[in-house]
Amino acid sequence: VLDITNLPGGKCEFLCSGSEAVEFCVRAAKAIKPDAMLLTFYDSYFGAYGEAARKDVREWYLYDWHRCSCDDNGDGCRGECREFSEIPFNKIGVFLFEPGSSSGLVKFPPLKLIEKISGKIRENNGLTVVNEVTTGVGRTGKWFGFQHYDLEPDMVAIGKGIGNGYPVSVAVLSGRAAALLENQKF
């Protein structure tokens, strides 16, 4: 798993469902960045329960890349609009990315937008968590949906295809994230 996610030196926690893998990653990220907000897209689906499913507006910033003013050709946000500039990156420490929204229509966000968001997160020494429950294990033509972007995640939640029909999932942490988590009460 560490080889195919390209996270050598990382750690894995095997669980039973995609919801559990995403929730594990969210709680791990919050343990590492306890005072930071989490950024995601408004239509992302992260499971049926827990903090990830709730997306409490006091802790999460939900961005709608479909309704921005720089989307003049129907491809979505490029991060060049007023709406993008209003994202409070100074408060955000975690980007939870679902490469293809599973909310009824799988549509990959624009490459330029993801590059801008991940760059801002890196500038602030934040974490990138990728939800690959729906898009992982070869469903996009690559092992994982995040591999279509120039993205180095700190955590990856994998489910569905990883168990070939058996109820198994895995939360994958990079070596950096695992080391940061070891210093926390988690």
Side-chain angles (χ1 to χ4, degrees):
V1 172
L2 294 172
D3 285 345
I4 64 173
T5 54
N6 196 28
L7 295 173
K11 294 189 177 188
C12 295
E13 181 70 29
F14 286 88
L15 303 151
C16 296
S17 72
S19 293
E20 289 175 348
V22 173
E23 185 68 16
F24 183 94
C25 288
V26 166
R27 289 185 184 210
K30 288 180 75 173
I32 295 168
K33 298 279 186 184
D35 299 324
M37 290 186 75
L38 294 91
L39 168 68
T40 196
F41 298 127
Y42 85 100
D43 60 346
S44 296
Y45 179 78
F46 298 133
Y49 57 84
E51 294 181 49
R54 258 192 319 274
K55 292 189 242 176
D56 186 323
V57 295
R58 294 170 295 184
E59 299 175 348
W60 290 78
Y61 188 88
L62 308 178
Y63 184 64
D64 185 353
W65 62 275
H66 297 286
R67 299 185 193 276
C68 75
S69 56
C70 68
D71 181 16
D72 52 7
N73 60 5
D75 291 332
C77 185
R78 296 181 306 275
E80 301 168 354
C81 57
R82 175 187 50 78
E83 295 85 356
F84 183 85
S85 69
E86 292 173 354
I87 297 173
F89 282 105
N90 61 325
K91 295 179 183 177
I92 293 172
V94 180
F95 174 41
L96 187 48
F97 177 45
E98 184 180 37
S101 169
S102 63
S103 299
L105 174 68
V106 176
K107 185 173 181 185
F108 282 79
L111 177 63
K112 233 178 205 182
L113 174 62
I114 301 307
E115 286 175 352
K116 284 206 173 183
I117 290 173
S118 64
K120 293 270 192 188
I121 296 297
R122 271 193 300 255
E123 284 173 18
N124 294 333
N125 201 30
L127 301 168
T128 298
V129 178
V130 183
N131 173 10
E132 290 284 354
V133 173
T134 300
T135 51
V137 194
R139 289 180 167 192
T140 66
K142 296 190 180 205
W143 271 110
F144 299 100
F146 76 83
Q147 293 169 336
H148 293 276
Y149 299 88
D150 184 22
L151 193 62
E152 295 177 23
D154 296 288
M155 298 179 204
V156 181
I158 306 169
K160 295 190 191 314
I162 197 77
N164 197 27
Y166 289 95
V168 66
S169 64
V170 60
V172 186
L173 282 70
S174 68
R176 172 184 173 245
L180 289 169
L181 190 60
E182 287 177 6
N183 296 327
Q184 304 302 317
K185 293 180 182 179
F186 183 75

